[in-house]
């Protein structure tokens, strides 16, 4: 599938980029010996990182592992918010910049560690007044404003778990997530700026609550966009629906937060207490509530932020992800703040008001480390070099990539046009479930190859597993820091070996499970290759031990770097009255990595005009799930290719959608079906 297609082009890549001696000399870590040291005693390695955090009470046991249940730093008590804010203030850094924020209209704020301590304490006290207690879940549905990050920290401060739902999700998706987590309080804003318009968040919240969210007691609403006509940095807020205020349920941020005391003690949390739930798509229609706890998660994100991004006191770090995704949790909020970093946050679109917005932000704030996604990089490539070239990007010293495999061409463009040829690139592989980066270069040590996420982070062992469950990893460790995972005498030269990626040992920031669904947790991640974690990705390892990630091997699509399950889109489609049956696949796309293609069978009694219906079905998916789930192609068909046992052959649909020669069709019940489909696809495409 995805594997066989990308692999050949990827592995023709022979360029390599060693760290410059100057970069290596100043890097936070530059001794290759750390790899073998970490593997000799992984628990000691992680314990050392945990010791760099502040604990109210130190743990007594580093790890208790009863597959699939891990407990890290057992017996320890700490608070994530204390580690991200208070301890920096107590160390005399109250005046240090924490957030440099830009709203889309160009309004901006710089907030120091001292100021966030005050603001977060007030938000925390407001949450308490609204009845939130240790162990409760709080749902956050906000634009990328500093209050979003501060609300996450306020939850952590009082021991409530947050569940952030990306502001692009629909009312249905929001409702489903609220109900699964049984959130008590929902925090939102009137609206957030996006590409000159306003996303009507409060209105969508009203719709979600109308659908039924019995656990929600109060809704806290931040005024961000303001009433239509409000002027922000010279721009008037356009018309948008601000929703209907419901007295008793809805509470204005300004009415409750500002009058709170600015002192709020941090709740001492058990190392294994819930820090947050974050929903991600799986191969069924129901999203998985990925659970992360406190001590191990914070240890993992603090360690990876410091070593992968080489963060120093004078760095200005910008991870462009929204806090609605795990990248925003780990590398906008917890990892950088645990390191006392200066963090850039941007609210809006990369082309508002013009296509140079990102580069203006880099220039204006002197961003030194930039972490973004391949889909964004390919978009910038398409827009052309003129936009970055007219900005001063000389402050940049390190670049990062995450979310999907980066094609060598985009890697080279990023390196040359954005990095001026001088910045190392860290292509970081990880997932919502892993909590922090697991496969990545260390920029002061690793020689990078465009398209490869290189090697497991120290103390992590990754392997390639074949269909039968055998470890077929040829070699681990580019410079032979450590040898074969399988203990075999595999050669260190020769062709790359491909298969399923697996992680061999537990690590501190690993998910502790799927919220209230231990069975699914075991089945999805631990059943396929007993004893090993199966992330759902395919990968190859080359003769130097470099990992080349090849995309998902399950029914999860990666659209612009975001997980969307084919099932979820299929259920949205069959929810439409005209649709009898639907099959959805991810087809490769130049910019987004994958785009959604849907094949639908229309109920026989429905009369329709196909253009109108196709547009309606696309809009229906966006309304049911969110704009990211809008299919690029909807193909109306009389039949779907099925095996004799009735299973839809998605592989053939992918062949059709990507215009390839058809693969093996011998198991098809009726081979004529795909040929008819192909003719139809070709005539309707574009
Ligand atoms: C899936 C996880 C991790 C934050 C953003 C996505 C893919 C992620 C890479 C990379 C190749 C990558 C994988 C993974 N992925 N980073 N550097 N190279 N693939 O988090 O939504 O949980 O998605 O994204 O397929 O399983 P997520």
């Amino acid at each position: 599938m995805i594997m066989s297609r990308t692999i050949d082009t990827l592995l023709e890549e022979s360029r390599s980029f060693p760290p410059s001696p100057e970069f290596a000399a100043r890097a936070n870590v530059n001794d290759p010996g750390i790899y073998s040291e970490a593997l000799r005693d992984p628990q000691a390695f992680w314990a050392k990182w945990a010791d760099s955090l502040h604990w109210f009470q130190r743990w007594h046991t580093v790890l208790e592992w009863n597959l699939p249940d891990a407990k890290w730093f057992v017996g320890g008590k700490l608070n994530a918010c204390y580690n991200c804010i208070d301890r920096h203030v107590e160390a005399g850094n109250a005046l240090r910049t924490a957030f440099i924020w830009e709203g889309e209209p160009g309004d901006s704020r710089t907030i120091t560690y001292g100021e966030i301590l005050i603001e977060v304490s007030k938000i925390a006290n407001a949450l308490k007044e609204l009845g939130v207690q240790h162990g409760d879940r709080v749902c956050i549905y906000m634009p990328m404003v500093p209050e979003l990050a501060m609300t996450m920290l306020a939850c952590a401060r009082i021991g409530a778990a947050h569940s952030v739902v990306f502001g692009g999700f629909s009312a249905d998706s929001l409702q489903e997530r609220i109900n699964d987590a049984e959130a008590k309080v929902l925090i939102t804003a009137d609206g957030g700026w996006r590409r000159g318009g306003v996303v009507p968040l409060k209105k969508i919240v009203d719709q979600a609550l109308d659908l039924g969210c019995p656990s929600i007691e109060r809704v806290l609403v931040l005024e961000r966009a303001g009433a239509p006509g409000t002027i922000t940095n010279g721009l008037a807020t356009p018309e948008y629906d601000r929703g209907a205020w419901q007295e008793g349920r809805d509470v204005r941020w300004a009415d409750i937060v500002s009058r709170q005391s600015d002192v709020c003690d941090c709740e001492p949390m058990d190392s294994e207490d819930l820090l947050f739930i974050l929903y991600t798509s799986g191969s069924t229609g129901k999203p998985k509530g990925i659970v992360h706890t406190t001590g191990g998660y914070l240890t993992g994100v603090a360690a990876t932020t410091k070593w992968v991004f080489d963060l120093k006191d004078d760095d200005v770090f910008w991870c462009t992800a929204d806090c609605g995704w795990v990248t925003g949790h780990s590398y906008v909020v917890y990892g950088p703040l645990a390191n006392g970093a200066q963090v850039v946050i941007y609210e809006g679109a990369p082309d508002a008001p013009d296509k140079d917005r990102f580069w203006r932000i880099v220039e204006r704030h002197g961003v030194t480390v930039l972490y973004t996604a391949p889909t964004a990089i390919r978009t910038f490539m398409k827009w052309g070099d003129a936009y970055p070239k007219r900005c001063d990007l000389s402050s940049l010293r390190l670049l990062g990539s995450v979310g999907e495999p980066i094609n060598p061409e985009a890697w080279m463009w990023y390196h040359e046009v954005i990095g001026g040829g001088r910045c190392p690139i860290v292509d970081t592989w990880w997932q919502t479930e892993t909590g922090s980066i697991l496969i990545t270069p260390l920029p002061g040590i690793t020689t990078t190859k465009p398209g490869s996420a290189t090697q497991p982070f120290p103390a992590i062992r990754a392997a390639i597993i074949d269909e039968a469950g055998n470890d077929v990893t040829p070699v681990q460790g580019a410079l032979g820091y450590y040898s074969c995972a399988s203990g075999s005498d595999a050669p260190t030269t020769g062709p790359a070996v491909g298969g399923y990626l697996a992680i061999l040992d537990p690590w501190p920031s690993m998910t502790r499970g799927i919220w209230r669904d231990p069975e699914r947790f075991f089945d999805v991640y631990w059943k396929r290759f007993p004893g090993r974690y199966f992330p759902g990705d395919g990968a190859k390892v080359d003769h130097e031990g470099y990992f080349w990630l090849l995309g998902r091997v399950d029914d999860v699509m990666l659209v612009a770097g975001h997980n969307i399950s084919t099932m979820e889109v299929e259920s949205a489609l069959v929810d439409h009255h005209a649709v009898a049956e639907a099959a959805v696949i991810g087809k490769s796309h130049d910019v987004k990595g994958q785009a959604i293609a849907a094949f639908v069978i229309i109920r026989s009694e429905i009369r329709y005009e196909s253009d109108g219906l196709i547009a309606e079905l696309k809009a229906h998916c966006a309304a049911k799930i969110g704009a990211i789930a809008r299919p690029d192609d909807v193909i109306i068909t009389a039949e779907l290719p099925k095996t004799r046992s009735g299973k839809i052959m998605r592989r053939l649909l992918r062949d059709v959608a990507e215009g390839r020669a058809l693969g093996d069709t011998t198991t098809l019940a009726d081979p004529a079906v795909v040929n008819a489909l192909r003719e139809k696809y070709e005539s309707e495409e574009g």
Side-chain angles (χ1 to χ4, degrees):
M1 324 195 294
I2 301 180
M3 291 214 237
S4 52
R5 266 186 285 126
T6 38
I7 209 142
D8 302 334
T9 47
L10 270 179
L11 292 172
E12 277 161 19
E13 183 56 56
S14 58
R15 289 168 287 204
S16 63
F17 297 83
S20 73
E22 306 82 67
F23 191 101
R26 266 179 259 136
N28 285 345
V29 56
N30 50 22
D31 172 12
I34 50 117
Y35 282 97
S36 45
E37 190 193 314
L39 275 191
R40 260 195 306 277
D41 191 347
Q43 292 194 19
F45 175 84
W46 291 120
K48 210 161 139 188
W49 280 108
D51 269 329
S52 73
L53 300 174
H54 172 276
W55 297 78
F56 298 124
Q57 184 184 305
R58 199 174 183 269
W59 66 89
H60 52 73
T61 305
V62 177
L63 171 67
E64 272 174 22
W65 177 227
N66 297 302
L67 187 145
D69 300 315
K71 287 192 177 134
W72 281 88
F73 312 116
V74 186
K77 298 240 184 270
L78 79 168
N79 183 285
C81 181
Y82 186 92
N83 273 282
C84 288
I85 308 176
D86 301 54
R87 66 173 171 144
H88 306 310
V89 173
E90 284 166 18
N93 290 318
L95 296 180
R96 186 173 160 71
T97 297
F99 292 137
I100 303 166
W101 173 77
E102 256 191 53
E104 194 184 83
D107 45 338
S108 69
R109 282 160 73 189
T110 297
I111 310 177
T112 64
Y113 276 89
E115 288 165 337
I116 44 172
L117 176 57
I118 290 173
E119 195 59 26
V120 165
S121 300
K122 288 181 165 186
I123 302 169
N125 283 326
L127 291 177
K128 282 188 185 169
E129 188 181 315
L130 294 175
V132 178
Q133 294 172 350
H134 184 149
D136 286 341
R137 275 83 56 208
V138 170
C139 180
I140 304 178
Y141 185 66
M142 292 178 92
M144 272 299 270
V145 289
E147 285 82 357
L148 166 48
M150 293 193 293
T151 302
M152 293 162 68
L153 291 160
C155 289
R157 192 169 190 88
I158 62 174
H162 50 74
S163 163
V164 184
V165 176
F166 174 56
F169 276 116
S170 67
D172 284 74
S173 299
L174 177 60
Q175 182 216 16
E176 184 174 25
R177 287 158 175 75
I178 289 172
N179 289 345
D180 189 75
E182 294 178 286
K184 193 171 192 178
V185 165
L186 174 55
I187 306 177
T188 190
D190 49 358
W193 284 86
R194 183 82 197 170
R195 206 162 278 128
V198 171
V199 182
L201 296 167
K202 171 60 165 60
K203 159 84 200 260
I204 299 168
V205 160
D206 288 350
Q207 289 170 339
L209 296 188
D210 285 347
L211 291 167
C213 295
S215 60
I216 292 290
E217 294 173 9
R218 308 301 286 272
V219 180
L220 179 57
V221 187
L222 175 76
E223 181 160 312
R224 160 59 186 146
T230 306
I231 303 295
T232 306
N233 198 38
L235 273 185
T237 301
E239 277 306 321
Y240 74 104
D241 189 337
R242 299 190 89 201
W245 197 261
Q246 199 166 308
E247 281 311 330
R249 183 196 73 183
D250 299 347
V251 186
R252 283 184 187 82
W253 184 282
D255 288 348
I256 187 167
V257 175
S258 45
R259 64 175 165 76
Q260 299 294 325
S261 153
D262 57 11
V263 177
C264 175
D265 286 342
C266 287
E267 185 84 6
M269 302 293 281
D270 190 274
S271 180
E272 283 301 333
D273 270 345
L274 187 59
L275 179 61
F276 64 85
I277 302 172
L278 183 60
Y279 287 85
T280 183
S281 291
S283 16
T284 72
K286 190 179 187 299
K288 300 174 282 194
I290 299 300
V291 167
H292 283 287
T293 58
T294 309
Y297 173 80
L298 207 61
T299 301
V301 297
T304 48
T305 303
K306 182 142 188 179
W307 276 9
V308 175
F309 300 113
D310 192 44
L311 276 197
K312 314 263 183 15
D313 278 355
D314 52 359
D315 274 312
V316 176
F317 180 63
W318 185 21
C319 164
T320 65
D322 190 285
C323 284
W325 311 108
V326 74
T327 311
H329 284 60
S330 300
Y331 300 108
V332 175
V333 182
Y334 291 110
L337 296 195
N339 280 284
Q342 314 186 83
V343 174
V344 170
I345 301 179
Y346 170 56
E347 176 187 29
D351 53 352
D354 203 354
K355 297 187 174 73
D356 62 0
R357 184 62 186 265
F358 270 33
W359 320 121
R360 292 286 172 215
I361 292 173
V362 169
E363 176 180 76
R364 195 153 38 235
H365 304 295
V367 172
T368 58
V369 181
L370 175 69
Y371 189 33
T372 194
T375 185
I377 297 165
R378 290 189 296 261
T379 303
F380 298 138
M381 270 175 87
K382 209 177 65 180
W383 287 345
D385 296 8
Y387 296 103
K389 289 235 159 100
R390 69 191 187 198
C391 301
D392 178 4
L393 304 182
S394 60
S395 57
L396 290 171
R397 65 177 197 91
L398 176 62
L399 302 173
S401 172
V402 62
E404 55 176 313
I406 180 165
N407 47 311
E409 195 195 354
W411 196 103
M412 289 306 299
W413 184 87
Y414 198 29
H415 182 68
E416 281 159 13
V417 179
I418 305 305
R422 70 182 180 278
C423 304
I425 295 181
V426 287
D427 172 4
T428 61
W429 177 90
W430 60 296
Q431 313 176 292
T432 306
E433 296 87 335
T434 69
S436 61
I437 294 166
L438 290 195
I439 302 182
T440 178
L442 291 179
I445 297 178
T446 315
T447 293
T448 55
K449 302 181 189 182
S452 169
T454 75
Q455 296 173 73
F457 189 79
I460 303 292
R461 289 188 309 144
I464 300 298
I465 309 291
D466 70 11
E467 206 65 58
N470 302 310
D471 186 334
V472 292
T473 321
V475 60
Q476 288 202 351
L479 301 174
Y481 304 137
Y482 52 98
S483 57
C484 306
S486 50
S488 71
D489 298 319
T492 54
T493 56
V497 174
Y500 300 103
L501 180 66
I503 307 295
L504 302 179
D505 315 297
W507 64 100
S509 66
M510 66 198 285
T511 175
R512 300 302 191 263
I514 298 176
W515 180 249
R516 295 198 171 147
D517 201 346
E519 208 174 314
R520 186 175 182 196
F521 178 55
F522 183 79
D523 288 352
V524 173
Y525 305 101
W526 300 98
K527 202 159 126 183
R528 182 150 190 176
F529 304 122
R532 294 156 290 191
Y533 173 80
F534 172 53
D537 279 41
K540 269 216 168 188
V541 169
D542 69 17
H543 64 279
E544 291 182 310
Y546 277 59
F547 284 76
W548 301 76
L549 279 304
L550 302 170
R552 311 271 329 176
V553 294
D554 53 14
D555 291 331
V556 176
M557 300 174 284
L558 273 173
V559 180
H562 299 306
N563 278 352
I564 303 177
S565 93
T566 51
M567 271 279 296
E568 236 172 330
V569 182
E570 284 165 7
S571 7
L573 286 165
V574 295
D575 171 81
H576 189 280
H577 70 275
V579 177
E581 205 179 337
V584 166
I585 52 125
K587 66 165 201 172
S588 29
H589 185 277
D590 287 353
V591 173
K592 294 191 276 194
Q594 281 188 299
I596 302 174
F599 296 81
V600 294
I601 301 177
I602 301 302
R603 285 178 198 281
S604 55
E605 69 274 20
I606 301 281
R607 308 205 145 273
Y608 62 93
E609 165 266 313
S610 65
D611 284 357
L613 183 60
I614 286 169
E616 198 178 311
L617 293 177
K618 289 182 182 180
H620 190 71
C621 293
K624 288 302 280 185
I625 304 169
I628 48 169
R630 180 191 298 272
D632 274 27
D633 305 322
V634 171
I635 306 303
I636 296 174
T637 172
E639 276 175 276
L640 289 167
K642 289 185 181 159
T643 60
R644 285 173 201 95
S645 60
K647 200 167 151 21
I648 294 174
M649 295 189 72
R650 291 164 191 287
R651 176 172 59 77
L652 294 178
L653 293 176
R654 266 192 293 267
D655 288 342
V656 170
E658 291 172 359
R660 245 189 327 276
L662 294 180
D664 184 7
T665 56
T666 48
T667 52
L668 266 182
D670 178 4
V673 169
V674 292
N675 287 319
L677 205 54
R678 156 158 293 171
E679 275 162 34
K680 181 134 174 76
Y681 196 92
E682 282 162 4
S683 69
E684 281 181 13
E685 211 186 12

